[in-house]
Amino acid sequence: MGSARAISIQSAHPAPLRGEHGDKMANNTARLVALAWVAGAILPGPRVSAHAEETVPNLATLSHVRSFSPSIASVIQEAGDRSTTFRRLVETIDASDSYVYVDEGECRDSDQRACLVNVTVGGRFRFIFVHVATRTADWDLMGSIGHELQHAIEVIDNGFVTSLLTMRSLYERIGKQNSRDPHSYETTAAVAAGNAVRDEVRAFIRRAKSQQRSQPSTKGNL
């Protein structure tokens, strides 16, 4: 299953905005914000992920959990189909004034499978950005996304969090600091959410395989 630290939150530390690596992350975030606003200006209401919606026809167009990546958008859909915990997380975010964008990207620690990288404000909406590593099995990726969605909900529940600085302030108060990385924080709720999603997805896969094995073979009857 891997350690909880491997998917701990990184975004509470403002350091990613400094240096070559930080500049890259800041530029990526700025690009995503710009794309979100362009899409929002073209489409009615706060539908800011037009690209993902057009590329993946089955993606719920009104969901507040979105991706610019068709493959990650598909994983999010499948996770919602397979995990009640994941659906609950998405429903909570959908009921908020915030939008969470999940896309492939880097974290401070290369061993991290997922991390919050930024939160920003646009009009009356907050935009929260999550990076994930897609090199893991689907059930593990779904768990990592679920883990970060819980972190996003923690941000959403605290209206004063509108930047990296205020996000750090939040996690200094509610999070547990990583002993190996003083700029990384974790919460029990996020660990539990990620583990629950993984367990539910794996149980779903086991049931599907069991049903396939139990179906009578039609070989030789055609």
Side-chain angles (χ1 to χ4, degrees):
M1 183 176 296
S3 65
R5 192 211 68 77
I7 44 177
S8 63
I9 185 169
Q10 82 155 52
S11 55
H13 183 56
L17 297 181
R18 304 190 184 101
E20 181 179 353
H21 177 67
D23 290 342
K24 181 177 180 181
M25 295 185 69
N27 290 338
N28 286 343
T29 299
R31 178 180 61 83
L32 293 178
V33 174
L35 287 171
W37 272 108
V38 168
I42 295 172
L43 299 172
R47 292 177 62 225
V48 294
S49 185
H51 177 72
E53 290 167 6
E54 292 169 359
T55 308
V56 187
N58 293 326
L59 183 64
T61 57
L62 298 180
S63 178
H64 287 208
V65 179
R66 304 178 176 190
S67 179
F68 289 100
S69 162
S71 60
I72 293 178
S74 294
V75 169
I76 291 172
Q77 280 186 187
E78 291 177 11
D81 293 338
R82 299 176 179 184
S83 166
T84 56
T85 297
F86 197 96
R87 286 197 300 274
R88 174 182 57 78
L89 294 167
V90 173
E91 288 168 358
T92 300
I93 296 170
D94 284 347
S96 75
D97 63 352
S98 299
Y99 290 80
V100 180
Y101 281 81
V102 183
D103 285 285
E104 186 172 6
E106 299 175 351
C107 297
R108 273 177 52 90
D109 186 340
S110 59
D111 291 334
Q112 288 180 329
R113 292 174 289 187
C115 54
L116 258 59
V117 295
N118 204 1
V119 56
T120 189
V121 176
R124 62 188 180 90
F125 304 110
R126 278 187 293 176
F127 298 95
I128 300 168
F129 296 93
V130 171
H131 281 179
V132 295
T134 58
R135 58 184 178 275
T136 58
D138 279 356
W139 60 264
D140 197 26
L141 177 57
M142 293 174 187
S144 295
I145 294 173
H147 180 112
E148 298 306 325
L149 293 186
Q150 175 58 41
H151 279 317
I153 290 171
E154 293 162 355
V155 169
I156 291 169
D157 286 343
N158 291 271
F160 73 92
V161 181
T162 57
S163 66
L164 288 172
L165 183 62
T166 50
M167 186 152 54
R168 179 181 184 181
S169 176
L170 170 67
Y171 280 96
E172 285 176 342
R173 178 167 56 86
I174 72 170
K176 180 179 180 181
Q177 192 175 44
N178 187 316
S179 58
R180 205 180 84 175
D181 182 356
H183 304 310
S184 182
Y185 298 83
E186 193 54 276
T187 63
T188 301
V191 173
N195 289 343
V197 171
R198 288 186 183 88
D199 290 343
E200 290 164 9
V201 170
R202 285 184 292 190
F204 179 94
I205 294 172
R206 285 196 298 269
R207 287 195 301 270
K209 290 181 177 179
S210 177
Q211 290 172 359
Q212 288 178 347
R213 288 194 296 268
S214 64
Q215 290 178 351
S217 175
T218 57
K219 185 177 181 179
N221 295 331
L222 298 180

